[in-house]
């Protein structure tokens, strides 16, 4: 595998994301629940960076034998929406966002993984771009994340804090609120962008149907 600019940029992205993951796992600043949820979200986000690279690198043939594992890894996208929603609620309410009932939010991820494990038993060779599952899963992931983004916005709207007060609180916060919200915003834009472009390329079916660099 040639270490070109795209590969080098991906290595930097994965490294920085892992450093941020570790930072939010161990930091004592801010609120513990917010930090742990964001750290988990960053870890899942790192999986998406690797998946995107493995299916869009110029030397993508290097990853051809790993397509079953890569497609399983991609199902972690179903965790991004719920984690964003939990983070927003934890950030706004300053209390633990997880309880027994929240397990329902992880059902799409569990179902997708179980389905693929059963599906793989009858498939010897699996190429992501040649499987109709790629289209359906991409649509589901995009819709799933958009639904949770809307839920998160509704949660913000339901609070008594207006936009000016929200922004002021971030400016005077002694913690890492500004960094956390910046990361959340970036992850939202990135994951919607990735799956939108993936959907476009699958439907349009250009010369080769890997995701754009």
């Amino acid at each position: 595998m040639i270490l070109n600019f795209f590969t080098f940029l991906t290595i930097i992205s994965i490294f920085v994301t892992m450093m941020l993951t570790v930072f939010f796992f161990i930091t004592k600043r801010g609120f513990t629940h917010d930090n742990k949820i964001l750290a988990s979200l960053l870890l899942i986000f790192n999986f998406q960076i690797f998946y995107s690279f493995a299916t869009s690198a110029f030397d993508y043939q290097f990853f051809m034998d790993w397509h079953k594992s890569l497609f399983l890894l991609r199902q972690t996208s179903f965790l991004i929406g719920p984690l964003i929603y939990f983070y927003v609620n934890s950030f706004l309410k300053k209390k633990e966002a997880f309880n027994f009932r929240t397990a329902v939010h992880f059902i799409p991820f569990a179902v997708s993984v179980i389905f693929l494990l059963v599906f793989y038993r009858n498939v010897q060779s699996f190429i992501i771009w040649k499987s109709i599952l790629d289209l359906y899963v991409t649509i589901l992931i995009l819709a799933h994340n958009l639904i949770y983004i809307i839920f998160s916005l509704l949660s913000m709207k339901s609070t008594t804090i207006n936009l000016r007060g929200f922004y002021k609180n971030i400016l005077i916060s002694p913690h890492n609120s500004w960094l956390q919200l910046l990361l959340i915003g970036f992850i939202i834009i990135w994951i919607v962008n990735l799956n939108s472009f993936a959907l476009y390329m699958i439907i349009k079916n250009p010369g080769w149907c890997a995701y754009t660099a």
Side-chain angles (χ1 to χ4, degrees):
M1 187 167 56
I2 302 173
L3 191 65
N4 52 40
F5 177 74
F6 182 46
T7 306
F8 185 68
L9 192 63
T10 303
I11 292 172
I12 293 176
S13 300
I14 290 175
F15 175 77
V16 170
T17 307
M18 282 306 302
M19 290 299 98
L20 285 168
T21 301
V22 173
F23 169 75
F24 282 109
F25 262 128
I26 66 176
T27 185
K28 301 299 181 182
R29 299 190 65 189
F31 296 91
T32 303
H33 299 306
D34 298 2
N35 292 337
K36 294 296 189 295
I37 295 173
L38 183 56
S40 301
L41 180 59
L42 284 165
L43 182 62
I44 300 300
F45 178 58
N46 225 353
F47 293 158
Q48 309 312 310
I49 295 175
F50 178 74
Y51 174 84
S52 177
F53 170 74
T55 54
S56 61
F58 299 110
D59 44 7
Y60 65 93
Q61 296 91 339
F62 181 81
F63 298 96
M64 292 292 280
D65 294 334
W66 301 357
H67 273 217
K68 285 185 178 181
S69 300
L70 284 171
F71 207 61
L72 270 175
L73 184 69
R74 188 189 182 192
Q75 306 313 304
T76 57
S77 287
F78 284 110
L79 299 174
I80 288 182
L83 286 173
I84 290 173
Y85 176 72
F86 292 147
Y87 171 79
V88 168
N89 279 277
S90 177
F91 183 86
L92 292 173
K93 300 173 182 177
K94 301 306 178 191
K95 66 179 183 179
E96 190 171 358
F98 294 103
N99 54 53
F100 180 75
R101 291 181 297 175
T102 59
V104 70
H105 295 279
F106 301 105
I107 289 178
F109 167 70
V111 169
S112 66
V113 170
I114 293 171
F115 171 80
L116 283 179
L117 291 175
V118 174
F119 176 80
Y120 284 162
R121 292 177 61 184
N122 301 316
V123 176
Q124 297 300 320
S125 177
F126 180 81
I127 305 299
I128 292 173
W129 314 306
K130 294 182 180 180
S131 174
I132 191 64
L133 285 180
D134 195 21
L135 173 61
Y136 294 147
V137 169
T138 302
I139 293 173
L140 287 174
I141 287 173
L142 184 58
H144 186 262
N145 282 304
L146 287 175
I147 288 171
Y148 273 97
I149 290 169
I150 292 172
F151 283 166
S152 301
L153 292 174
L154 291 175
S155 293
M156 295 177 67
K157 186 179 179 181
S158 66
T159 64
T160 56
I161 304 174
N162 59 31
L163 187 60
R164 180 178 295 180
F166 187 70
Y167 179 67
K168 184 179 179 180
N169 287 339
I170 294 173
L171 288 179
I172 63 177
S173 172
H175 307 302
N176 306 294
S177 299
W178 63 273
L179 176 58
Q180 295 184 39
L181 292 177
L182 183 65
L183 290 171
I184 289 290
F186 180 79
I187 291 173
I188 288 174
I189 293 172
W190 195 94
I191 199 68
V192 171
N193 229 10
L194 172 67
N195 289 287
S196 298
F197 276 114
L199 190 60
Y200 170 81
M201 294 197 72
I202 294 169
I203 294 174
K204 290 298 183 179
N205 194 22
W208 65 298
C209 205
Y211 305 128
T212 66

